[in-house]
Amino acid sequence: MDILNELSTKDRHIGRSLFAMSRKQETRDHLFAKIMVRSAIKLFLLLLFLGYMMLWFMMPTKLYFEHWLPKIRANSKSTYFGQQGSTMLIYTFPILFIATLGCIYLHLGKKHGDHNVEGVPTSKLKQPVMVKGPFGIVSWMELSFLTMFVVLLAWSTTSYLNGMFTHIDQMASRSGLLVWEAKLEMSGLTLGLVGNICLAFLFFPVTRGSSVLRLIGLSSEASIKYHIWVGHIAMTIFTAHGLCYLVFWAKTEQLSQVLKWGKIEVSNIAGEIGLVCGLGMWATSLPQIRRKLFELFYYTHHLYILFIVFFVFHVGFSYACIMLPGFYLFLIDRYLRFLQSQQRVSLVAARILPCQTVELNFCKSPEVNHGPRSIIFVNVPAISKLQWHPFTITSNSNMDTDKLSMVVKSEGRWSSDLYQKLSSPLPMDGFQVSIEGPYGPPASTHLLRHDILVLLSGGSGITPFISIIRELLFKASSGSSTWIPHILLICAFKKSIDLAMLELILPVSGTTVDISCLQLQIEAYVTREKGADEDNHKPLQTVWFKPNAIDAPVSAILGPNSWLCLGLIISSSFVMFLLLIAILSRYHNSNMVYASSATAGFYMLFMCLAIAMTANATFLWNKKQNRKRLRQIRNMDTPPVWFNNGDRELESLPYQSLLQATNVHYGERPDLKKILFERKEISVGVIASGPREMRQEVAAICSSGLADNLQFESISFTW
């Protein structure tokens, strides 16, 4: 019997082993199938995108207008979609299809932990080539794409002018115009057509949750400068477009055209109203005004709504479909952000630093994953109901599964008011805060590709590095990575009291990791003081907030399967939009004739309705799924474990380890050339964050060609 029992036990062990092996094989096969599907999707998206870009280069040609476009319109002619049917098929559908399919691609990558779609700053093409100037820090890759975009505009301009000037003499004689007057009119028309190309690309960089940006390895915060570049070019062209027509009307005694609102043709006055709105945004977005009068810039920029509405009235909805894809995706993203902003989030505590800095700590849902350098937008109604400000997330989603932290330093009126309210001795029962985000790349694999990581910061620019150090600290303490680079943090502060920000590097109480497991060296420079001021060594203070029944943890607006939900919203809303257009077109053909502007107004209303209905339905469904978990969090009677005894003990081992890793230099600035050039035999990743001048200096050193081992990356917010 013992032998039989032993054999049966062995059989069970063998069976379990075979079962485990089969499960592992199934997992590997499933993973391989996902990789193959993603590869096929990626190849198809690449081919579709190349075809779409080729279309832009063919647009101004005679071949496109005389052969391709008539055939497309003849084959896509429909009673239900009218003239704009072919335009939506050519320009709108491909991009929305790419965005939807891209959501599926990103969802599959999220499921098996592949984030290689994120940009990895290891290529020489991503090294800076231009450091100073109106464009800021520009890499070789950015310069290449900027050059291609300018070439597209130049090619379109010359092609349009060449086609229009071919028979300009006959056209001038038929219209009773001088040749130069006819050329001026055609030049104005050409500028309008070329400006629409800029408008088609203008909204992609500011769509924060865009799958299109993620597919090409960009994040919204890093793409703001592209929006600025395209915006400047677009407004320059549109201004020249308007001036050409004003001069033409004045010279030909047709100034009455200024007030023309055509029922079928182009509406001139609508274009003029849109241009005035654009000029208002353009003027206040200039760096000299934006940096000194941010609120004026912020509020004026909401004129984009009137700008787009009157642009559509000006050219008609059919032609506006050329720029519709970027704006359509932006509109979806903006409405989802609006839904998220209506929810009050649960602010648990704030840590007050003596250097006019505060750390806000929120509860978050475990499914919210954010990588180093991710950002959130914060609104505090007690200070301003309209202002939203971006801040870097300093917590780590691996270490802090139920916590999200951010740091705010008093450097403006809004942040100073926030600090004063939180540091006030008066008791506070609650503090209402709303959040949009988080946004940013979830992956940090490129941080591990160097022998040493040099982090250069000035002032509050240290905040992005807190999350980077915590991410590497987690990898080092958990053993999830076989290689962790040596970290050299160079931080410059004006006063010694600002050194308190270094304490934020340490994980808060409740975590068990020790910073000593990380190869961390901190070189802190206090530039305006000759020695330490003992009066500045004040402990951190913690402010607690009572839980509120209507507060909720920070959660993903579309739940854990956010990419799938976004793809569903894009596709279903566009289908609903087409159905509404079909109904109106059918009623239009059967009963009455609408003016062009009225039809455009109906179509814009339908687009907003379709997006609002599908987004609301998806949002409410996800809210219902999360309700049980939210109720459990709201019923917590005690603070989370990560903030019990939130005031750190100065004798603790992590704090002592941080002190041992820190060297403070008073009355001097870091010698950046010496720091960066003394390690020529190893791979050095250089990340700079802080004032523009400091980042430009570091970029100039890395791009000088004296050290090929330096890989530069800049962190900045152009707000």
Side-chain angles (χ1 to χ4, degrees):
M1 289 296 294
D2 292 339
I3 295 176
L4 290 175
N5 289 334
E6 183 178 352
L7 287 174
S8 61
T9 303
K10 288 182 178 180
D11 289 340
R12 285 195 296 271
H13 284 309
I14 293 173
R16 289 171 182 169
S17 300
L18 291 174
F19 178 74
M21 291 175 61
S22 64
R23 290 294 299 272
K24 289 181 179 179
Q25 183 63 36
E26 289 178 3
T27 303
R28 284 194 294 266
D29 292 342
H30 186 60
L31 181 60
F32 178 75
K34 279 189 175 181
I35 294 174
M36 294 301 294
V37 171
R38 293 185 79 234
S39 300
I41 294 176
K42 191 173 185 179
L43 178 61
F44 181 72
L45 289 175
L46 178 61
L47 295 175
L48 188 59
F49 179 75
L50 291 176
Y52 182 77
M53 293 308 299
M54 185 193 72
L55 184 65
W56 281 103
F57 279 93
M58 294 301 298
M59 259 184 67
T61 63
K62 196 173 183 180
L63 175 64
Y64 176 80
F65 272 103
E66 294 186 358
H67 299 281
W68 289 11
L69 188 58
K71 290 182 179 179
I72 294 174
R73 284 180 173 173
N75 294 329
S76 60
K77 186 177 181 181
S78 171
T79 306
Y80 294 96
F81 301 115
Q83 185 181 358
Q84 65 274 355
S86 58
T87 314
M88 285 193 291
L89 177 65
I90 298 172
Y91 299 104
T92 307
F93 176 75
I95 291 298
L96 297 186
F97 184 73
I98 288 174
T100 303
L101 201 57
C103 290
I104 299 174
Y105 174 84
L106 294 169
H107 174 76
L108 293 175
K110 179 182 177 182
K111 285 299 183 180
H112 69 266
D114 179 18
H115 301 295
N116 291 332
V117 295
E118 305 299 335
V120 180
T122 57
S123 171
K124 292 295 182 182
L125 291 175
K126 296 189 178 181
Q127 294 308 294
V129 59
M130 295 171 57
V131 176
K132 296 182 179 180
F135 296 106
I137 301 174
V138 182
S139 67
W140 283 104
M141 181 174 292
E142 290 171 338
L143 182 61
S144 301
F145 280 103
L146 179 61
T147 303
M148 286 190 287
F149 185 70
V150 173
V151 167
L152 172 62
L153 298 182
W155 158 255
S156 300
T157 303
T158 54
S159 298
Y160 282 129
L161 288 177
N162 182 59
M164 293 178 183
F165 286 0
T166 302
H167 304 290
I168 195 69
D169 295 336
Q170 296 88 330
M171 188 190 75
S173 62
R174 287 195 303 268
S175 304
L177 302 173
L178 299 176
V179 174
W180 75 267
E181 292 173 341
K183 286 186 176 181
L184 180 62
E185 182 183 16
M186 291 300 101
S187 298
L189 176 59
T190 296
L191 289 170
L193 295 173
V194 175
N196 293 339
I197 299 176
C198 299
L199 201 58
F201 291 92
L202 183 63
F203 289 94
F204 284 108
V206 289
T207 306
R208 297 175 191 166
S210 171
S211 59
V212 176
L213 286 180
R214 187 65 64 85
L215 284 173
I216 57 179
L218 293 174
S219 58
S220 60
E221 62 274 13
S223 304
I224 292 295
K225 60 181 177 181
Y226 310 138
H227 173 75
I228 296 174
W229 296 352
V230 177
H232 284 313
I233 297 173
M235 286 312 305
T236 301
I237 295 175
F238 282 137
T239 303
H241 163 73
L243 290 176
C244 283
Y245 273 100
L246 285 176
V247 173
F248 171 74
W249 292 330
K251 290 295 182 180
T252 57
E253 299 180 353
Q254 301 181 66
L255 283 177
S256 60
Q257 291 289 324
V258 172
L259 301 177
K260 177 185 175 182
W261 188 297
K263 291 186 177 181
I264 299 177
E265 300 175 356
V266 171
S267 300
N268 295 334
I269 190 172
E272 292 150 12
I273 295 173
L275 180 59
V276 170
C277 294
L279 290 174
M281 291 188 290
W282 192 22
T284 56
S285 65
L286 296 175
Q288 298 83 354
I289 298 178
R290 186 184 69 243
R291 292 168 184 166
K292 294 181 180 180
L293 301 171
F294 178 82
E295 293 184 14
L296 177 64
F297 154 76
Y298 178 80
Y299 294 129
T300 306
H301 235 61
H302 287 82
L303 289 173
Y304 78 88
I305 301 173
L306 294 178
F307 176 80
I308 291 297
V309 169
F310 283 100
F311 169 81
V312 176
F313 286 151
H314 176 56
V315 301
F317 190 83
S318 177
Y319 190 77
C321 288
I322 295 177
M323 53 73 60
L324 183 62
F327 185 69
Y328 192 92
L329 295 175
F330 169 79
L331 205 58
I332 291 176
D333 179 76
R334 186 66 191 87
Y335 189 72
L336 289 174
R337 289 192 278 122
F338 168 75
L339 292 177
Q340 186 181 25
S341 67
Q342 300 308 298
Q343 176 65 61
R344 283 182 49 172
V345 296
S346 179
L347 177 62
V348 177
R351 292 201 293 176
I352 311 298
L353 280 68
C355 56
Q356 298 288 304
T357 302
V358 59
E359 180 191 58
L360 302 181
N361 295 271
F362 305 91
C363 274
K364 82 172 183 69
S365 300
E367 75 269 7
V368 177
N369 292 316
H370 53 82
R373 297 170 43 191
S374 294
I375 65 170
I376 55 174
F377 285 76
V378 178
N379 171 261
V380 181
I383 300 175
S384 173
K385 294 182 179 181
L386 298 177
Q387 289 188 33
W388 291 81
H389 293 266
F391 296 98
T392 306
I393 298 175
T394 55
S395 56
N396 178 264
S397 58
N398 292 313
M399 281 185 178
D400 311 304
T401 58
D402 59 349
K403 177 179 78 78
L404 188 145
S405 302
M406 50 164 277
V407 175
V408 182
K409 185 171 176 59
S410 300
E411 294 180 338
R413 188 170 68 179
W414 187 91
S415 54
S416 298
D417 289 345
L418 176 66
Y419 182 82
Q420 292 299 326
K421 286 183 177 295
L422 293 175
S423 58
S424 172
L426 298 177
M428 300 177 64
D429 292 336
F431 200 73
Q432 183 176 349
V433 180
S434 298
I435 279 180
E436 291 180 4
Y439 306 104
S444 59
T445 54
H446 68 275
L447 300 176
L448 308 177
R449 301 194 177 198
H450 306 287
D451 298 312
I452 183 171
L453 201 59
V454 180
L455 310 177
L456 300 164
S457 71
S460 58
I462 193 175
T463 52
F465 298 148
I466 296 175
S467 60
I468 290 177
I469 293 174
R470 289 189 182 183
E471 173 72 9
L472 296 176
L473 177 60
F474 169 78
K475 292 181 181 296
S477 60
S478 64
S480 59
S481 179
T482 58
W483 169 253
I484 302 295
H486 178 79
I487 304 173
L488 174 60
L489 174 61
I490 310 294
C491 48
F493 302 104
K494 293 180 180 179
K495 300 179 181 179
S496 59
I497 195 172
D498 295 328
L499 292 172
M501 295 187 70
L502 293 175
E503 294 188 40
L504 299 177
I505 294 175
L506 295 174
V508 294
S509 300
T511 55
T512 58
V513 294
D514 183 6
I515 200 171
S516 61
C517 66
L518 198 63
Q519 300 180 71
L520 174 63
Q521 178 184 351
I522 302 175
E523 300 293 334
Y525 293 81
V526 180
T527 58
R528 296 187 180 180
E529 294 181 2
K530 299 296 183 181
D533 188 350
E534 297 298 330
D535 295 335
N536 291 334
H537 294 283
K538 300 177 182 178
L540 278 67
Q541 299 179 1
T542 302
V543 178
W544 291 93
F545 300 98
K546 294 181 180 180
N548 194 305
I550 64 174
D551 289 348
V554 178
S555 57
I557 182 63
L558 296 178
N561 296 319
S562 57
W563 287 120
L564 274 184
C565 292
L566 179 60
L568 179 64
I569 292 173
I570 295 172
S571 56
S572 59
S573 64
F574 188 62
V575 170
M576 183 178 294
F577 174 49
L578 293 179
L579 290 175
L580 293 173
I581 288 180
I583 294 172
L584 180 65
S585 298
R586 187 66 175 176
Y587 182 73
H588 165 281
N589 291 333
S590 301
N591 295 279
M592 60 182 297
V593 177
Y594 297 113
S596 175
S597 56
T599 304
F602 277 121
Y603 288 169
M604 286 187 285
L605 177 62
F606 291 164
M607 182 173 63
C608 295
L609 285 175
I611 291 174
M613 291 174 66
T614 53
N616 276 324
T618 309
F619 171 74
L620 292 175
W621 183 82
N622 278 289
K623 189 174 182 180
K624 183 179 180 180
Q625 297 297 316
N626 295 332
R627 188 169 297 166
K628 183 177 180 180
R629 181 168 61 253
L630 295 179
R631 190 182 299 115
Q632 292 175 350
I633 296 176
R634 287 171 181 166
N635 290 336
M636 289 192 307
D637 295 326
T638 59
V641 66
W642 44 265
F643 231 97
N644 287 329
N645 301 320
D647 297 328
R648 192 185 311 280
E649 296 181 3
L650 300 183
E651 296 79 12
S652 64
L653 178 60
Y655 185 81
Q656 294 301 317
S657 300
L658 181 65
L659 290 179
Q660 294 175 5
T662 304
N663 296 319
V664 182
H665 310 265
Y666 291 94
E668 60 178 302
R669 298 178 180 275
D671 187 346
L672 298 179
K673 288 186 177 180
K674 180 180 179 182
I675 293 171
L676 296 177
F677 287 164
E678 66 183 3
R679 300 172 176 84
K680 293 186 177 181
E681 293 79 16
I682 58 177
S683 172
V684 180
V686 182
I687 307 178
S689 172
R692 182 178 183 180
E693 295 75 13
M694 185 270 289
R695 290 184 285 108
Q696 290 178 336
E697 181 183 357
V698 177
I701 295 173
C702 294
S703 61
S704 62
L706 300 177
D708 295 333
N709 62 323
L710 301 178
Q711 300 290 332
F712 174 77
E713 189 176 357
S714 174
I715 303 177
S716 65
F717 298 115
T718 318
W719 300 98

